[in-house]
Amino acid sequence: MDSPQFTAEPSSGVDPLMFDVIIVGCGPTGAMLAAELRLHDVRVLVLEKETEPVSFVRIVGLHIRSIELMAMRGLLDRFLEHGRKRPAAGFFAAIDKPVPKGLDSAHAYLLGIPQPVVEHLLEEHAIELGAQVRRGCAVAGFEQDDDGVTVELAGGKRLRARYLVGCDGARSTVRKLLGVGFPGEPSRTETLMGEMAVDVPQEEIAAKVTEIQETNKVFSLRPAGVGVYRVVVPVAGVSDRAEPPTIEDFKQQLHATAGTDFGVHSPRWLSRFGDATRLAERYRVGRVLLAGDAAHIHPPTGGQGLNLGVQDAFNLGWKLAAQIRGWAPETLLDTYQAERHPVAEDVLDNTRAQMELLSTEPGPRAVRRLLTELMDFDEVNRYLIEKITAIDIRYDFGEAREPNNQHSGAGPDLLGRRLPDIDVKRGHLYGLLHRGRGLVLDRTERLTVGGWSDRVDYLADPTAALDVPAILLRPDGHVAWIGDDQQDLDDHLARWFGSSLNR
Ligand SMILES: Cc1cc2nc3c(=O)[nH]c(=O)nc-3n(C[C@H](O)[C@H](O)[C@H](O)COP(=O)(O)OP(=O)(O)OC[C@H]3O[C@@H](n4cnc5c(N)ncnc54)[C@H](O)[C@@H]3O)c2cc1C
């Protein structure tokens, strides 16, 4: 790891408890953020209220963009060891269609992996990079001033950091204390989900499930081990309770929906979720930021929440690190909200649409039938899968200048988008991004990163599988510049990576 070149805010003479960043919550978002900050030598403390990791399985898995992030940081092999590759299809409102043609990714699959494993691997990675994680520490309050944030734990202990990030989930204490509005819709439905033993032959279960799913798309019993099933059953009414349901609650709702409780017993874990849909009005107030479920909640349709949070962290990490290291251009940190708020808005909207498509009412069922037909058009199918897997995201970086030696018309369309894991002369592009630095990939072999070489790597490669002369990639893998002109590149390096060391 490089030693820091800049320290805009020197750490000498401050409270010995001072950290650069305190992260509240060691869920997937908090752990990912901690690791991204550590890539830049930022002193990170993660405070987690739970003494032990929780064991709810929850997620379907990692979608394409999240898998790409793991590849970009050299973590993919660990995840592959614990997960199972499944086709990248059938996520949108659970409409069953084949994988669309032409998904532009070297990792075009769903990685089925339980949430506790994702959390463990990300926490382990953050700790390996030097993050401190303190469990059994609930944050109860904080105050910010011009120089930093004083954080108060439930026991009264105080800690201080330059920045605080609330990754503390849907009921975020940080968001509430910050007074940031969380507008949206309350839950209208409630669903029970858990894993438990089932004492009925498999064929009997399959027949019953098929019959009920004719009209009720939410209900399911899927094998999750020998004699164990993942049970998802809707509930009449909304309790809005935070505590897990009991096995008796499951029996009652299974009876109400299926006319039998399938003899369920011996639960591994039980949980409930609603379809509340809310988005924080702001992601930043001064030195305090929000990420993950603390900033947005929506129903789990399409399996996007964890993926969205991890991607928030990936967007925020290098920007906050740049701010602390002292090289961030003035508006860099604010691009976090500018880029990620619209992405969350879009996810909220697609989950609203999916919930309508899962309704048992005749109108939405007719719309579902129509959309099912439309998804036979490969472009429609691909559009929806690219949305759910977050490979369609394009940040607004303004107009692309047409390079002097444009190789194809496809170039400017790349601006603001993520670059897939293309072949380069040293292997794969993502293998060059493990350290979380910028990268200039130059087919012309004429350019240089000059005074930005402490923050940005350079690869001259006339054989790179690119249709444009050269690109500048941000540490999150999004294309920040396309061209062949050194002055234009320098301007863009300054825009994203601050002043050159040569100035
Ligand atoms: C039934 C269900 C199914 C889902 N399926 C999927 C899926 O298939 N795919 C997907 O991508 N997402 C899915 N999700 C969503 C996903 O689980 C969440 O989006 C994800 O957990 C959010 O991660 P996070 O780190 O932002 O928040 P959380 O996972 O909620 O983590 C927040 C952490 O902060 C801690 N904390 C809270 N308050 C404090 C405090 N005051 N002080 C210290 N620590 C605190 C908590 O203990 C927790 O560890 C599903 C959710 C549910 C409920």
Side-chain angles (χ1 to χ4, degrees), residues 329-375:
E330 206 182 317
T331 54
L332 184 68
L333 196 51
D334 286 328
T335 66
Y336 166 60
Q337 156 149 350
E339 292 170 7
R340 296 303 297 172
H341 200 270
V343 169
E345 259 174 345
D346 194 52
V347 171
L348 263 57
D349 258 0
N350 85 49
T351 54
R352 284 183 181 107
Q354 290 185 72
M355 289 306 283
E356 290 301 316
L357 292 164
L358 290 166
S359 161
T360 54
E361 295 295 318
R365 283 175 62 195
V367 178
R368 185 184 174 92
R369 283 193 292 275
L370 189 61
L371 185 66
T372 306
E373 286 169 25
L374 285 174
M375 284 177 73

Side-chain angles (χ1 to χ4, degrees), residues 24-30 47-50 58-61 115 119 137-139 167-169 173 193 273 291-293 300 303-307:
V24 187
C26 197
T29 306
L47 298 170
E48 168 55 54
K49 72 176 164 63
E50 300 293 337
R58 292 195 289 206
I59 64 159
V60 177
Q115 179 154 345
E119 291 179 7
C137 294
V139 168
C167 300
D168 50 344
T173 302
M193 178 159 131
F273 61 90
D293 276 16
Q304 300 167 90
L306 178 147
N307 288 270

Side-chain angles (χ1 to χ4, degrees), residues 190-194 231-235 245 249-250 253 271-273:
E190 188 170 298
T191 306
L192 305 184
M193 178 159 131
V231 178
V232 182
V233 59
V235 178
D249 293 330
F250 274 80
Q253 294 307 328
S271 72
R272 71 173 89 239
F273 61 90

Side-chain angles (χ1 to χ4, degrees), residues 53-60 113-117 191-198 220 222-225 228-233 243-250 264-273 300:
V54 292
S55 59
F56 293 162
V57 172
R58 292 195 289 206
I59 64 159
V60 177
I113 186 166
Q115 179 154 345
V117 179
T191 306
L192 305 184
M193 178 159 131
E195 286 181 358
M196 59 206 76
V198 176
S220 77
R222 287 208 189 119
V228 175
Y229 279 72
R230 164 89 54 99
V231 178
V232 182
V233 59
E243 75 269 21
T246 63
I247 192 77
E248 287 308 317
D249 293 330
F250 274 80
V264 295
H265 63 93
S266 311
R268 278 186 187 163
W269 54 266
L270 305 173
S271 72
R272 71 173 89 239
F273 61 90

Side-chain angles (χ1 to χ4, degrees), residues 8 193 207 239 277:
M193 178 159 131
S239 66
T277 305

